[in-house]
Amino acid sequence: MRQVAVVAFDGISPFHLAVPCAVFGERHGAALGYRLQVCSWEAGPLASSAGFQLQGLAGLAELAGADVVIVPSWRNVDELAAPALLQALRDAHARGAVVMGLCLGAYVLAQAGLLDGMAATTHWAFADDFAARFPAVTVLPDSLYLDDGQVLTSAGTAAALDCCLHLLRCQCGAAAAGQVARYLVTPPHRQGGQAQYIAQPLPANTRDDRLSGLLDEVRASLAQPHTLDSLAARVLMSRRTFTRHFRQLTGSTVQQWLLAERLARAQQLLETTALPVETIAQQAGFGSAPSLRLHFRRRFGVSPGDWRRSFAG
């Protein structure tokens, strides 16, 4: 059994606490070999941000035997976490446990020094503050989550679900993660980053409607040689206007979006078909197997063949 310890605290958001419990707990978590325990260094009962109380929690000793330790958020970015909690996180990391800081939980991991020299993410609204407080950490605010292998961080709120499902996928395989995602009525993996959720002026007009429709068409024809100019011409926009509207809609450039979509298509084909890598490269729009392997390894750190062996369902 994998032991999962979720750290609670006075004033915790029920949603943030519920996310890891929903993914790694309940009957499906037990069926996949997880035992989840909510723990705290604070004496209960603890008040939630919604007004109800939590009681019957385990102590920090639970972290000593945990395979996965999750800090699901943090109550105040100006507050330094308790020394006992920070030391327990360092000890868990030192003995090889996976440590996750979801949303503002990244602040606690950074306070413990576990993110020094690494890339991390957190809620986009606090990215600048986080970067200023922890200059030894490279903040990537556009990412929904980041995985360093042993340390994971996620963007705000619902991105915690993406991060937890990602870890489940890594530990139990794509089929298990997909089954849990279906139970939770959520995609097993979302493309894109949190830039698409940052408040920005987005003009509501027919051109944007056409742009959304164009993206659906491109997703259905990724094998074609799409370019910025060819896509702009299809919606009768200038290159500059199309670029501006595209970034407003997706939070990325055309090339970044195309690469993400093609990699997602390659992942799907690797996991669900027995097609040769050369065929997958053609269907996903990479043109050749070497090109697919190059981009795949850059993004995921493994080869397409390794990905298939790990996640083919």
Side-chain angles (χ1 to χ4, degrees), residues 259-300:
L259 178 59
E261 292 295 327
R262 284 172 168 152
L263 286 169
R265 178 62 174 155
Q267 286 177 309
Q268 178 192 27
L269 292 172
L270 287 166
E271 295 171 11
T272 61
T273 75
L275 292 172
V277 172
E278 291 76 8
T279 303
I280 291 175
Q282 292 290 336
Q283 292 191 13
F286 288 98
S288 67
S291 178
L292 170 60
R293 292 189 181 100
L294 174 65
H295 288 291
F296 210 90
R297 186 171 289 278
R298 280 179 179 174
R299 178 64 60 87
F300 304 115

Side-chain angles (χ1 to χ4, degrees), residues 117-138:
M118 293 174 48
T121 190
T122 189
H123 194 294
W124 61 264
F126 294 88
D128 290 342
D129 177 80
F130 188 94
R133 291 174 188 265
F134 307 107
V137 183
T138 301

Side-chain angles (χ1 to χ4, degrees), residues 164-189:
C164 288
L165 285 170
H166 166 75
L167 180 61
L168 183 67
R169 178 189 185 114
C170 292
Q171 293 188 336
C172 299
Q179 182 179 7
V180 173
R182 284 192 295 273
Y183 176 77
L184 298 176
V185 197
T186 188
H189 178 70

Side-chain angles (χ1 to χ4, degrees), residues 224-231 239 242-243 246-247 250 252-263 285-286 295 299:
Q224 301 301 314
H226 302 293
T227 66
L228 170 58
D229 290 327
S230 68
L231 296 180
R239 181 188 180 99
F242 180 83
T243 298
F246 192 92
R247 183 175 285 279
T250 68
S252 67
T253 67
V254 171
Q255 287 304 114
Q256 290 169 340
W257 183 84
L258 275 171
L259 178 59
E261 292 295 327
R262 284 172 168 152
L263 286 169
F286 288 98
H295 288 291
R299 178 64 60 87

